[in-house]
Amino acid sequence: MSSAWQELAAQKRAEILNSFPSDFPRIDPIPSPLPRNITQLVESHLASLDLKITQTPLATLLSSLANATWSSVTVLTAFAKRALLIHQLTPCLHEAFFSAALKDAEALDTHLRTTGKPKGPLHGLPFSLKDQFDIKGVDSTIGLVGWIGNRHDVKEESVMAQTILDAGGVLYVKTSVPQASMAGETFNNIIDYLWNPANTLVSAGGSSGGEGALIAARGSPLGIGTDIGASVRVPAAFNGLWGLKPSRGRLPFRGAREVVQWNGAVGFSPGVIAHSGEEVRTGMKALLDGQPWARDSGVVPMPWREEKGEDVRKQRGSGGLVFGVIRHNGIVGCHPPVKRAVEMCVEALRSAGHEVIDWSPPSHLHKDLDDIAMRSFSYDITPYTTAFSLTSEPPFPQFTYKPPTPSSHPLPASSVLSNNASQLAAQSAYLDYWNSTASLTKSGKAVDGVICAVAPFAAARPGRYYGLSYTAWVNALDWSAVAVPVTEVDKGVDRVDEGYRAVGEVDRKTWESYDPEIYHGTPVAVQIVGKRFEEEKVLALGEVVAEALEGRKGKQGKL
């Protein structure tokens, strides 16, 4: 006999599917096992126009919407059809509201027809949101069965949703997250487990995993995730996408859901996920042009500063940029394909004339920053107990913040203050090291950005994500970073290093999780890290890296 929480979860699963028109194409039966890469199966169910629209680059798509080559209704319908097909194979959706979105799209078409002008920079563009942001009439479960039905508590749109709608975007889905949106994989009792659309043997990442999977499989052209320890960069990296993690306060979070109110050392930072750096820039600029600081007091009044990126682009041809590189963070080593991706970036940048130095801050700093972030996540985990107790649903084994024992209590204020003081000291020490690199470079200037892995693996295998040490340090610093796709796992090249010596238990377990056969074909990425509120700069640095990789590939092809 099923329990109450299982029945609620089943009802929500059916609601998601039934929210799409009955005449939309569907996959029946669902193959078992799933195809390794779902793209061919998804595209075999789409009409030629729907296929063309969903494969169109963002700039062309926006232009076609603005000049009425394609109507907003036509574009929305194409992406919604594809989103449904993707969701059937890898459950990337928590909410779908096509009927409401269709009314918005029709209104935008009427506006363009009667005024001759698009409503805004995102006119008619389908836009996906991580299931944290409130939208009127729609649940925000953040992966908790006990939060199903909370749409009745939503009195107004989140500021993020308002900003997208004001820019002419069309909201049509909210994407899946792990329980309480707190893990590097995406799993919950509503959708079960989210597989990577490029390789269904591994994870699509988390906590913005639904965004990563949906955008990678082209069920959405542009989307928003949030990052508290990895959660924009990891799903972007695992799915071969670009993902920008800004400093907190660059984009609005007011009206977004969280189990624990993160007012301490580390908190959620919304960021854009897309197929290219240019598309991330388009999304960021459109959002900031909407001046979200007028609605969210937590947003810094800072428009998109294109000149910061232009300063970087002016140096890309002259070889005037300096990068640091982290090959091993002292906690866990990287799988062979990730090591290769990092070295590819180093070699490509040096070949383009840029300088790359080893990044060697005091040996304790990365672990200190990782510990600070992890401690901040556990200031008070009793709200998780409350959330799970609403329906007595069980936490997944991967859920880190298990309901505490009866003797557990929130950390005392003195411990919170001590952790905050440790964070400030570590931030100062890290900035001092950054500035000191001017004495280590040939040019005599400090590094522009740091290259490192996003995770020790190309993507996590289920239940084998053992820590966030390659990403959480950036959150503890509150710095900006961008995930940049580099290559794919090649089982013929990325062989197991039988002589590898682990530096600890987490390193050993991580290393043992590598299997070239399982990982073959999985996207591999790196991240570029910059200082606080350097989003324009790190995005431009990521594009320099991507161009250098492409340039080196072109040179090698001519040899």
Side-chain angles (χ1 to χ4, degrees), residues 21-82:
S22 59
D23 62 349
F24 272 22
R26 296 175 190 242
I27 299 169
D28 187 20
I30 304 298
S32 181
L34 292 171
R36 178 108 172 202
N37 186 311
I38 70 170
T39 303
Q40 185 175 353
L41 180 56
V42 167
E43 293 188 344
S44 69
H45 285 72
L46 291 170
S48 58
L49 179 59
D50 296 329
L51 192 59
K52 181 178 181 180
I53 288 171
T54 54
Q55 291 176 334
T56 299
L58 181 62
T60 304
L61 193 59
L62 286 170
S63 175
S64 297
L65 284 161
N67 64 26
T69 299
W70 290 326
S71 71
S72 179
V73 167
T74 300
V75 172
L76 169 66
T77 303
F79 277 100
K81 286 178 179 178
R82 188 157 184 151

Side-chain angles (χ1 to χ4, degrees), residues 12-149:
K12 172 56 78 172
R13 286 193 293 274
E15 177 188 302
I16 296 168
L17 294 173
N18 293 337
S19 66
F20 292 94
S22 59
D23 62 349
F24 272 22
R26 296 175 190 242
I27 299 169
D28 187 20
I30 304 298
S32 181
L34 292 171
R36 178 108 172 202
N37 186 311
I38 70 170
T39 303
Q40 185 175 353
L41 180 56
V42 167
E43 293 188 344
S44 69
H45 285 72
L46 291 170
S48 58
L49 179 59
D50 296 329
L51 192 59
K52 181 178 181 180
I53 288 171
T54 54
Q55 291 176 334
T56 299
L58 181 62
T60 304
L61 193 59
L62 286 170
S63 175
S64 297
L65 284 161
N67 64 26
T69 299
W70 290 326
S71 71
S72 179
V73 167
T74 300
V75 172
L76 169 66
T77 303
F79 277 100
K81 286 178 179 178
R82 188 157 184 151
L84 171 59
L85 294 167
I86 296 163
H87 175 73
Q88 286 189 274
L89 298 174
T90 182
C92 55
L93 305 180
H94 274 178
E95 304 291 331
F97 34 98
F98 180 77
S99 295
L102 186 61
K103 292 179 181 178
D104 290 344
E106 290 170 343
L108 287 165
D109 286 338
T110 299
H111 174 89
L112 183 61
R113 188 168 55 251
T114 56
T115 68
K117 297 179 181 179
K119 181 179 178 180
L122 301 177
H123 178 91
L125 185 75
F127 207 115
S128 53
L129 275 180
K130 182 180 184 179
D131 185 27
Q132 275 187 282
F133 296 95
D134 278 352
I135 297 174
K136 284 183 182 179
V138 180
D139 284 348
S140 295
T141 67
I142 62 171
L144 297 167
V145 175
W147 284 23
I148 292 173

Side-chain angles (χ1 to χ4, degrees), residues 34-38 196-201 516-522:
L34 292 171
R36 178 108 172 202
N37 186 311
I38 70 170
N196 191 313
N199 179 359
T200 55
L201 299 178
E517 292 290 338
I518 289 174
Y519 274 103
H520 183 70
T522 305

Side-chain angles (χ1 to χ4, degrees), residues 247-381:
S247 295
R248 289 173 73 186
R250 194 72 202 269
L251 290 179
F253 192 69
R254 181 181 176 184
R257 300 275 176 148
E258 48 190 342
V259 175
V260 176
Q261 299 297 312
W262 298 104
N263 295 317
V266 177
F268 285 107
S269 174
V272 177
I273 301 175
H275 282 277
S276 71
E278 183 58 40
E279 292 180 355
V280 170
R281 180 180 293 105
T282 296
M284 286 292 295
K285 187 175 186 305
L287 293 171
L288 292 175
D289 281 353
Q291 300 185 359
W293 50 84
R295 292 174 170 145
D296 184 345
S297 61
V299 178
V300 176
M302 185 186 295
W304 185 254
R305 305 160 299 173
E306 190 55 37
E307 68 276 7
K308 300 291 184 181
E310 191 58 37
D311 288 345
V312 171
R313 288 188 286 275
K314 287 177 182 177
Q315 300 177 70
R316 62 187 172 188
S318 62
L321 297 169
V322 182
F323 293 82
V325 59
I326 300 172
R327 292 181 170 89
H328 193 302
N329 66 3
I331 300 170
V332 59
C334 294
H335 285 181
V338 181
K339 286 184 176 181
R340 178 167 63 87
V342 171
E343 291 308 318
M344 286 173 65
C345 294
V346 170
E347 292 170 7
L349 288 167
R350 285 177 173 164
S351 178
H354 302 293
E355 187 175 359
V356 183
I357 66 169
D358 289 334
W359 189 251
S360 303
S363 59
H364 62 86
L365 262 184
H366 273 169
K367 188 173 189 310
D368 288 352
L369 289 163
D370 186 53
D371 289 345
I372 288 163
M374 295 303 109
R375 280 196 297 271
S376 77
F377 297 157
S378 302
Y379 285 164
D380 182 7
I381 60 177

Side-chain angles (χ1 to χ4, degrees), residues 474-489:
V474 183
N475 298 81
L477 289 170
D478 194 26
W479 284 7
S480 43
V482 63
V484 179
V486 175
T487 186
E488 294 181 351
V489 180

